[in-house]
Amino acid sequence: MVKYDTVLIRFGELSTKGKNRKDFIQKLYMNIKNTFNDIDDFTYRKTHDRIYISFEGDYQDLITERLKKVFGISSFSFTKKVDSKYEEIENTCLEIAKESETKSFKIIARRQDKTFPLNSDIINRNIASTILKNTDLKVDVHEPDLPIRIEVQKELTYITTQKILGAGGYPANMNGKVLLLLSGGIDSPVACYELMKRGLKVEAIHFAAPPYTSENAKNKVLTLAKMLSEYQFDMHVHIIPFTDLQLEIYRVAKDPYAITLMRRMMFRIAEKVAKANNCLAIASGESVGQVASQTLESINTINDVVHIPVLRPLICFDKIEIIDLAKKINTYETSILPYEDCCTIFDPKNPVTKPNIEKCEYYESQFNYLEMIEEAINNEDIKKVIFTREKEDYL
Ligand code: ATP
Ligand code: MG
C-alpha cells in the first residue's frame, strides 16, 4: 500500500497580493499550527503557494476534520512524498495505479523546479506509458477516475490522487475585530461563522435579564461561544445585565415599541463596548423581513442611535439557508435548546413594524437611560472562552 505521509495545503482568496499575501500566508501558517498544537510529531513547511504537514501514523481523519475548519484553505490533499528523482516518482505512480480499482487515469505533473531534467509534458507522457504497459488502466484526459497529480519541487516531489475542499475565506484573526450581538438563537452563531470566515476576530456581547433569564440561558451562550471559538481559538464574551433597562422600557413605552427600544439600547451599549475594546464595527444576526422587528424601517430606527458600522452578514439569507448552515457548523442543536432569552420573555404581542424615530426619542426622554447604560456596562461580566480539545485517542 502506498502510505500517504504529507498533506499539501492550497490557499484560497488568491487575489490577495503583495504584503497582504505575505500576511495571509503567515497567519494561515500559524493558524494551522495552532489547530494541531496538541500534537507534537508533525513537521511543517511553507513555500510561496503551499503549506505542507508531514506526519507518521494514522492521522488522516483527524487532519481532515480539523483542516476543514481552518479558514483561508481552498483545498488540501494527502500526498506521498518522494525524493525528486524520476525513477522514484515513476515507481510511486505505478504503485498507486496498480493498487487502484478504477478504469481510467490521467497524469497531471507540475514541475515547479525548472532544473528538474524533464518538463511537465514529458513526465506526463513517460509515466502514462509506464502505467499503460503495466496495468489494465486506460488514459482518460477529460474525466479520469484516477487523476494522479505530481508536484515536482527542488528536493521533494508530492504525489496525490484526491483533493478535499477547504472552508475558503481568509485566515481567522487577520482583519481586525468586530463585536457581535450573540443571543443564543439560531441566527447569531451563524453570523459569527460568516464574520470569522472573512478573517475578522469576533468578540461577543450578550444581554442577560436575570432573574427572568436563567443561568442555563447564559451557559448556553457560553457553550455556543466555545464551539465557535474553534475557528479563532478563543473568544471574549461580554455579558451585560439588561434587566433594569428592560423594566424601565416596559414602564414608559407602549408595548409595540418595546422591542425597538430594547434594540436601540442594545446597540448603544454595543457601540460603547466595541469602542472600549478596539472593535471597529458591531454585528448582528438580523435578516430583512425575518420577524416584525427586522424591517428596513426598523433597521433605520435602530441604526439611528449609533455611529459605528453595523455588519449584518445574514441580511439576505433565507431562514432555511441559515438553519442549514447552523447544522453544518453544529450550533443548531444547542441553539434550539429551550432556554429563555431576554427578548422571548419581554416579547410584545404586536411589535411595531414601522417604528418612528421621534416616538422612540419621546419614550426614551422619560427615563435616564444614559446613566443606566453606564451602570450596565460597569457591571458587565467578561468571560474569555478558550477552545480546548478533549484528550483524544489519536492513533
Ligand atoms: P437569533 O436567532 O440570532 O436570536 P432571531 O431571529 O431570534 O435571531 P432576534 O431575536 O430578533 O432575531 O434578534 C436579532 C439579533 O439581535 C440577533 O441575531 C442578535 O444579533 C441580537 N440579539 C437579540 N437578542 C440578544 C441578546 N439577548 N443578546 C445579544 N444579542 C441579541
Ligand atoms: Mg433571538
Side-chain angles (χ1 to χ4, degrees), residues 160-312:
T160 181
T161 59
Q162 34 79 293
K163 223 181 214 190
I164 302 166
L165 220 55
Y170 283 88
N173 304 337
M174 76 169 289
N175 286 333
K177 276 206 296 181
V178 54
L179 183 70
L180 168 73
L181 284 81
L182 185 63
S183 70
I186 297 168
D187 303 340
S188 39
V190 174
C192 182
Y193 177 85
E194 294 295 325
L195 294 164
M196 292 187 295
K197 187 172 178 180
R198 283 352 289 161
L200 296 165
K201 172 106 191 184
V202 176
E203 275 196 37
I205 182 167
H206 176 70
F207 297 91
Y212 302 96
T213 59
S214 65
E215 201 62 11
N216 281 341
K218 186 176 96 182
N219 287 336
K220 171 180 164 182
V221 172
L222 290 173
T223 303
L224 286 167
K226 192 148 193 170
M227 294 171 110
L228 291 160
S229 69
E230 177 167 8
Y231 298 90
Q232 62 172 29
F233 311 115
D234 58 41
M235 188 183 292
H236 281 97
V237 184
H238 303 260
I239 298 167
I240 306 284
F242 203 54
T243 319
D244 292 350
L245 272 161
Q246 276 187 316
L247 293 174
E248 274 303 272
I249 288 170
Y250 269 86
R251 190 178 63 81
V252 301
K254 288 228 165 56
D255 183 82
Y257 264 77
I259 283 277
T260 310
L261 293 170
M262 246 153 53
R263 288 265 181 278
R264 281 162 64 97
M265 293 304 162
M266 285 183 180
F267 271 45
R268 285 184 174 109
I269 293 173
E271 177 178 34
K272 279 181 183 281
V273 173
K275 288 183 172 163
N277 291 278
N278 302 317
C279 299
L280 293 179
I282 60 177
S284 83
E286 289 158 303
S287 148
V288 162
Q290 197 185 90
V291 289
S293 61
Q294 297 179 16
T295 60
L296 268 191
E297 287 83 356
S298 180
I299 288 174
N300 260 293
T301 309
I302 295 163
N303 265 37
D304 193 58
V305 299
V306 290
H307 302 278
I308 186 169
V310 182
L311 309 182
R312 294 182 171 88

Side-chain angles (χ1 to χ4, degrees), residues 78-109:
F78 288 95
T79 70
K80 171 72 187 161
K81 173 178 68 193
V82 299
D83 287 338
S84 291
K85 294 191 182 117
Y86 181 75
E87 293 71 37
E88 281 210 36
I89 299 171
E90 186 184 75
N91 285 341
T92 308
C93 291
L94 182 58
E95 212 181 321
I96 290 173
K98 278 183 172 164
E99 280 171 9
S100 150
E101 284 164 8
T102 55
K103 292 200 166 65
S104 62
F105 77 102
K106 178 184 181 181
I107 304 292
I108 308 157

